[in-house]
Amino acid sequence: MSNQNHGTLYLVATPIGNLSDISARALTTLREVDFIAAEDTRVTRRLLEHFGIKKPLVSYYKHNSRSGGEKVLTRLQGGESCALVSDAGTPGISDPGEDLVRLCALDEIKIITIPGPCAAVSALALSGLDSGRFVFEGFLSTDNKKRFALLEELKTEFRTMIFYEAPHKLIRTLTDLLNFFGERRISVSRELTKIYEETLRLTLSEAVLHFTSTPPRGEFVLIVEGAAASDDTGDRLDEGIRLASVLIEDGMSKRDAVKKAADETGCSRNALYKAVST
């Protein structure tokens, strides 16, 4: 139970691109708190200036999360209220805000979320892939040993997977996903809510080819189809193969034929695509 003499930490979601996406509640909170803890004070200052908000800012980012977190905690213990914001989206998701939330929770500081934009959920909704069950993996490690160990582990993950990626590492990541997972469907969203927002629904091999010829620009969210369920190796898969083969012979593209056959037979598109490709 929170200490009534302590202040409150507010987790305030901010726009991931379009400033109009900020909520009225978020603006009210930013105006009313005693101070704001920001991942990058320059980014947050521009946001505040746009909405005519003047509020003290403190820096809280990855490399000062320990010392910065202790300073924020001390002020909260003294009764002040704080809004935690990231550069974009919901704080505490794949950013150092997670550590501050943990620190405050241990000290029984009251924590309130002010919900709003989240790139991962927005891209998942756009993907057209199964959104009933999913796992969020954030950014893959740049350390090959850790990176490959995780990808090996995820090879049998049947839920839809969500990854973040920067443009200069996108082709490497897509290639690694293809090498470990084989051919699967993927939705690639970039620059969400911004002028050049784009979502491409491809297979992994198609995505590698596309971005090899079209240099990646912007920040990316990758939504990757999960592994095929084990019961798709029986009669349903055989029926799907027969139907897809007929559709392909009739002139339909392999991608469209697999989609139609999978929808009609109920088997996994991933398993069916692999089967008709061999």
PDB file of all heavy atoms in Angstrom, residues 255-276:
ATOM      1  N   ARG A 255       1.876 -16.752 -53.230  1.00  0.00           N
ATOM      2  CA  ARG A 255       1.486 -16.081 -51.991  1.00  0.00           C
ATOM      3  C   ARG A 255      -0.038 -16.056 -51.833  1.00  0.00           C
ATOM      4  O   ARG A 255      -0.574 -16.388 -50.775  1.00  0.00           O
ATOM      5  CB  ARG A 255       2.044 -14.661 -51.983  1.00  0.00           C
ATOM      6  CG  ARG A 255       1.725 -13.862 -50.724  1.00  0.00           C
ATOM      7  CD  ARG A 255       2.312 -12.481 -50.829  1.00  0.00           C
ATOM      8  NE  ARG A 255       1.959 -11.666 -49.695  1.00  0.00           N
ATOM      9  CZ  ARG A 255       2.254 -10.382 -49.576  1.00  0.00           C
ATOM     10  NH1 ARG A 255       2.926  -9.777 -50.546  1.00  0.00           N
ATOM     11  NH2 ARG A 255       1.890  -9.693 -48.506  1.00  0.00           N
ATOM     12  N   ASP A 256      -0.744 -15.659 -52.900  1.00  0.00           N
ATOM     13  CA  ASP A 256      -2.210 -15.591 -52.840  1.00  0.00           C
ATOM     14  C   ASP A 256      -2.840 -16.975 -52.746  1.00  0.00           C
ATOM     15  O   ASP A 256      -3.848 -17.174 -52.055  1.00  0.00           O
ATOM     16  CB  ASP A 256      -2.753 -14.860 -54.065  1.00  0.00           C
ATOM     17  CG  ASP A 256      -2.427 -13.371 -54.044  1.00  0.00           C
ATOM     18  OD1 ASP A 256      -2.137 -12.844 -52.952  1.00  0.00           O
ATOM     19  OD2 ASP A 256      -2.469 -12.733 -55.121  1.00  0.00           O
ATOM     20  N   ALA A 257      -2.228 -17.939 -53.441  1.00  0.00           N
ATOM     21  CA  ALA A 257      -2.746 -19.306 -53.406  1.00  0.00           C
ATOM     22  C   ALA A 257      -2.635 -19.897 -52.009  1.00  0.00           C
ATOM     23  O   ALA A 257      -3.565 -20.551 -51.509  1.00  0.00           O
ATOM     24  CB  ALA A 257      -1.993 -20.178 -54.412  1.00  0.00           C
ATOM     25  N   VAL A 258      -1.497 -19.661 -51.364  1.00  0.00           N
ATOM     26  CA  VAL A 258      -1.291 -20.158 -50.004  1.00  0.00           C
ATOM     27  C   VAL A 258      -2.280 -19.508 -49.049  1.00  0.00           C
ATOM     28  O   VAL A 258      -2.868 -20.173 -48.177  1.00  0.00           O
ATOM     29  CB  VAL A 258       0.161 -19.900 -49.562  1.00  0.00           C
ATOM     30  CG1 VAL A 258       0.308 -20.084 -48.048  1.00  0.00           C
ATOM     31  CG2 VAL A 258       1.113 -20.833 -50.302  1.00  0.00           C
ATOM     32  N   LYS A 259      -2.469 -18.210 -49.187  1.00  0.00           N
ATOM     33  CA  LYS A 259      -3.406 -17.490 -48.317  1.00  0.00           C
ATOM     34  C   LYS A 259      -4.817 -18.056 -48.459  1.00  0.00           C
ATOM     35  O   LYS A 259      -5.495 -18.348 -47.463  1.00  0.00           O
ATOM     36  CB  LYS A 259      -3.410 -15.999 -48.650  1.00  0.00           C
ATOM     37  CG  LYS A 259      -4.366 -15.163 -47.799  1.00  0.00           C
ATOM     38  CD  LYS A 259      -4.292 -13.695 -48.181  1.00  0.00           C
ATOM     39  CE  LYS A 259      -5.185 -12.846 -47.273  1.00  0.00           C
ATOM     40  NZ  LYS A 259      -6.600 -13.249 -47.304  1.00  0.00           N
ATOM     41  N   LYS A 260      -5.272 -18.223 -49.697  1.00  0.00           N
ATOM     42  CA  LYS A 260      -6.627 -18.727 -49.935  1.00  0.00           C
ATOM     43  C   LYS A 260      -6.781 -20.163 -49.443  1.00  0.00           C
ATOM     44  O   LYS A 260      -7.776 -20.511 -48.780  1.00  0.00           O
ATOM     45  CB  LYS A 260      -6.950 -18.647 -51.430  1.00  0.00           C
ATOM     46  CG  LYS A 260      -8.382 -19.068 -51.780  1.00  0.00           C
ATOM     47  CD  LYS A 260      -8.662 -18.838 -53.256  1.00  0.00           C
ATOM     48  CE  LYS A 260     -10.076 -19.290 -53.612  1.00  0.00           C
ATOM     49  NZ  LYS A 260     -11.105 -18.523 -52.871  1.00  0.00           N
ATOM     50  N   ALA A 261      -5.790 -21.002 -49.743  1.00  0.00           N
ATOM     51  CA  ALA A 261      -5.864 -22.403 -49.323  1.00  0.00           C
ATOM     52  C   ALA A 261      -5.839 -22.531 -47.804  1.00  0.00           C
ATOM     53  O   ALA A 261      -6.563 -23.347 -47.221  1.00  0.00           O
ATOM     54  CB  ALA A 261      -4.717 -23.193 -49.952  1.00  0.00           C
ATOM     55  N   ALA A 262      -4.996 -21.721 -47.148  1.00  0.00           N
ATOM     56  CA  ALA A 262      -4.916 -21.769 -45.683  1.00  0.00           C
ATOM     57  C   ALA A 262      -6.221 -21.307 -45.050  1.00  0.00           C
ATOM     58  O   ALA A 262      -6.702 -21.902 -44.080  1.00  0.00           O
ATOM     59  CB  ALA A 262      -3.754 -20.905 -45.199  1.00  0.00           C
ATOM     60  N   ASP A 263      -6.811 -20.261 -45.610  1.00  0.00           N
ATOM     61  CA  ASP A 263      -8.077 -19.752 -45.070  1.00  0.00           C
ATOM     62  C   ASP A 263      -9.195 -20.775 -45.227  1.00  0.00           C
ATOM     63  O   ASP A 263     -10.057 -20.910 -44.348  1.00  0.00           O
ATOM     64  CB  ASP A 263      -8.468 -18.447 -45.776  1.00  0.00           C
ATOM     65  CG  ASP A 263      -7.566 -17.282 -45.394  1.00  0.00           C
ATOM     66  OD1 ASP A 263      -6.851 -17.388 -44.383  1.00  0.00           O
ATOM     67  OD2 ASP A 263      -7.588 -16.257 -46.115  1.00  0.00           O
ATOM     68  N   GLU A 264      -9.178 -21.503 -46.329  1.00  0.00           N
ATOM     69  CA  GLU A 264     -10.260 -22.450 -46.592  1.00  0.00           C
ATOM     70  C   GLU A 264     -10.099 -23.776 -45.844  1.00  0.00           C
ATOM     71  O   GLU A 264     -11.083 -24.428 -45.499  1.00  0.00           O
ATOM     72  CB  GLU A 264     -10.370 -22.716 -48.094  1.00  0.00           C
ATOM     73  CG  GLU A 264     -10.883 -21.508 -48.877  1.00  0.00           C
ATOM     74  CD  GLU A 264     -11.245 -21.844 -50.310  1.00  0.00           C
ATOM     75  OE1 GLU A 264     -11.316 -23.056 -50.633  1.00  0.00           O
ATOM     76  OE2 GLU A 264     -11.452 -20.908 -51.103  1.00  0.00           O
ATOM     77  N   THR A 265      -8.855 -24.165 -45.589  1.00  0.00           N
ATOM     78  CA  THR A 265      -8.623 -25.460 -44.937  1.00  0.00           C
ATOM     79  C   THR A 265      -8.328 -25.343 -43.452  1.00  0.00           C
ATOM     80  O   THR A 265      -8.417 -26.328 -42.722  1.00  0.00           O
ATOM     81  CB  THR A 265      -7.451 -26.197 -45.613  1.00  0.00           C
ATOM     82  OG1 THR A 265      -6.256 -25.408 -45.473  1.00  0.00           O
ATOM     83  CG2 THR A 265      -7.739 -26.440 -47.092  1.00  0.00           C
ATOM     84  N   GLY A 266      -7.954 -24.154 -43.005  1.00  0.00           N
ATOM     85  CA  GLY A 266      -7.668 -23.955 -41.589  1.00  0.00           C
ATOM     86  C   GLY A 266      -6.274 -24.346 -41.169  1.00  0.00           C
ATOM     87  O   GLY A 266      -5.954 -24.363 -39.979  1.00  0.00           O
ATOM     88  N   CYS A 267      -5.395 -24.656 -42.114  1.00  0.00           N
ATOM     89  CA  CYS A 267      -4.025 -24.999 -41.748  1.00  0.00           C
ATOM     90  C   CYS A 267      -3.174 -23.730 -41.671  1.00  0.00           C
ATOM     91  O   CYS A 267      -3.584 -22.653 -42.096  1.00  0.00           O
ATOM     92  CB  CYS A 267      -3.425 -25.995 -42.736  1.00  0.00           C
ATOM     93  SG  CYS A 267      -3.152 -25.335 -44.381  1.00  0.00           S
ATOM     94  N   SER A 268      -1.978 -23.860 -41.134  1.00  0.00           N
ATOM     95  CA  SER A 268      -1.082 -22.720 -40.967  1.00  0.00           C
ATOM     96  C   SER A 268      -0.548 -22.250 -42.320  1.00  0.00           C
ATOM     97  O   SER A 268      -0.069 -23.040 -43.126  1.00  0.00           O
ATOM     98  CB  SER A 268       0.085 -23.118 -40.066  1.00  0.00           C
ATOM     99  OG  SER A 268       1.144 -22.213 -40.184  1.00  0.00           O
ATOM    100  N   ARG A 269      -0.603 -20.947 -42.554  1.00  0.00           N
ATOM    101  CA  ARG A 269      -0.041 -20.398 -43.793  1.00  0.00           C
ATOM    102  C   ARG A 269       1.462 -20.651 -43.845  1.00  0.00           C
ATOM    103  O   ARG A 269       2.024 -20.907 -44.906  1.00  0.00           O
ATOM    104  CB  ARG A 269      -0.306 -18.886 -43.867  1.00  0.00           C
ATOM    105  CG  ARG A 269      -1.759 -18.523 -44.072  1.00  0.00           C
ATOM    106  CD  ARG A 269      -1.882 -17.025 -44.314  1.00  0.00           C
ATOM    107  NE  ARG A 269      -3.269 -16.586 -44.157  1.00  0.00           N
ATOM    108  CZ  ARG A 269      -3.652 -15.334 -44.288  1.00  0.00           C
ATOM    109  NH1 ARG A 269      -2.763 -14.393 -44.560  1.00  0.00           N
ATOM    110  NH2 ARG A 269      -4.918 -14.999 -44.132  1.00  0.00           N
ATOM    111  N   ASN A 270       2.108 -20.540 -42.682  1.00  0.00           N
ATOM    112  CA  ASN A 270       3.552 -20.732 -42.636  1.00  0.00           C
ATOM    113  C   ASN A 270       3.923 -22.155 -43.057  1.00  0.00           C
ATOM    114  O   ASN A 270       4.790 -22.367 -43.910  1.00  0.00           O
ATOM    115  CB  ASN A 270       4.058 -20.446 -41.219  1.00  0.00           C
ATOM    116  CG  ASN A 270       5.550 -20.626 -41.092  1.00  0.00           C
ATOM    117  OD1 ASN A 270       6.289 -20.264 -41.994  1.00  0.00           O
ATOM    118  ND2 ASN A 270       5.985 -21.190 -39.983  1.00  0.00           N
ATOM    119  N   ALA A 271       3.228 -23.142 -42.469  1.00  0.00           N
ATOM    120  CA  ALA A 271       3.516 -24.543 -42.806  1.00  0.00           C
ATOM    121  C   ALA A 271       3.189 -24.838 -44.266  1.00  0.00           C
ATOM    122  O   ALA A 271       3.924 -25.532 -44.960  1.00  0.00           O
ATOM    123  CB  ALA A 271       2.723 -25.470 -41.889  1.00  0.00           C
ATOM    124  N   LEU A 272       2.092 -24.248 -44.744  1.00  0.00           N
ATOM    125  CA  LEU A 272       1.669 -24.480 -46.123  1.00  0.00           C
ATOM    126  C   LEU A 272       2.652 -23.841 -47.098  1.00  0.00           C
ATOM    127  O   LEU A 272       3.002 -24.438 -48.122  1.00  0.00           O
ATOM    128  CB  LEU A 272       0.267 -23.914 -46.336  1.00  0.00           C
ATOM    129  CG  LEU A 272      -0.376 -24.123 -47.711  1.00  0.00           C
ATOM    130  CD1 LEU A 272      -0.350 -25.600 -48.108  1.00  0.00           C
ATOM    131  CD2 LEU A 272      -1.797 -23.588 -47.716  1.00  0.00           C
ATOM    132  N   TYR A 273       3.109 -22.628 -46.788  1.00  0.00           N
ATOM    133  CA  TYR A 273       4.067 -21.948 -47.672  1.00  0.00           C
ATOM    134  C   TYR A 273       5.359 -22.762 -47.796  1.00  0.00           C
ATOM    135  O   TYR A 273       5.914 -22.941 -48.880  1.00  0.00           O
ATOM    136  CB  TYR A 273       4.359 -20.539 -47.141  1.00  0.00           C
ATOM    137  CG  TYR A 273       5.036 -19.641 -48.150  1.00  0.00           C
ATOM    138  CD1 TYR A 273       4.299 -18.721 -48.888  1.00  0.00           C
ATOM    139  CD2 TYR A 273       6.412 -19.715 -48.388  1.00  0.00           C
ATOM    140  CE1 TYR A 273       4.912 -17.904 -49.834  1.00  0.00           C
ATOM    141  CE2 TYR A 273       7.020 -18.911 -49.321  1.00  0.00           C
ATOM    142  CZ  TYR A 273       6.273 -17.999 -50.036  1.00  0.00           C
ATOM    143  OH  TYR A 273       6.891 -17.202 -50.957  1.00  0.00           O
ATOM    144  N   LYS A 274       5.811 -23.282 -46.650  1.00  0.00           N
ATOM    145  CA  LYS A 274       7.026 -24.106 -46.677  1.00  0.00           C
ATOM    146  C   LYS A 274       6.813 -25.371 -47.526  1.00  0.00           C
ATOM    147  O   LYS A 274       7.691 -25.775 -48.283  1.00  0.00           O
ATOM    148  CB  LYS A 274       7.417 -24.511 -45.248  1.00  0.00           C
ATOM    149  CG  LYS A 274       7.954 -23.368 -44.399  1.00  0.00           C
ATOM    150  CD  LYS A 274       8.306 -23.878 -43.004  1.00  0.00           C
ATOM    151  CE  LYS A 274       8.842 -22.758 -42.131  1.00  0.00           C
ATOM    152  NZ  LYS A 274       9.143 -23.217 -40.751  1.00  0.00           N
ATOM    153  N   ALA A 275       5.633 -25.959 -47.390  1.00  0.00           N
ATOM    154  CA  ALA A 275       5.361 -27.224 -48.083  1.00  0.00           C
ATOM    155  C   ALA A 275       5.316 -27.025 -49.600  1.00  0.00           C
ATOM    156  O   ALA A 275       5.851 -27.849 -50.352  1.00  0.00           O
ATOM    157  CB  ALA A 275       4.042 -27.799 -47.590  1.00  0.00           C
ATOM    158  N   VAL A 276       4.674 -25.949 -50.077  1.00  0.00           N
ATOM    159  CA  VAL A 276       4.561 -25.762 -51.526  1.00  0.00           C
ATOM    160  C   VAL A 276       5.852 -25.192 -52.103  1.00  0.00           C
ATOM    161  O   VAL A 276       6.019 -25.146 -53.317  1.00  0.00           O
ATOM    162  CB  VAL A 276       3.375 -24.820 -51.889  1.00  0.00           C
ATOM    163  CG1 VAL A 276       2.067 -25.437 -51.424  1.00  0.00           C
ATOM    164  CG2 VAL A 276       3.569 -23.439 -51.310  1.00  0.00           C
TER     165      VAL A 276
END
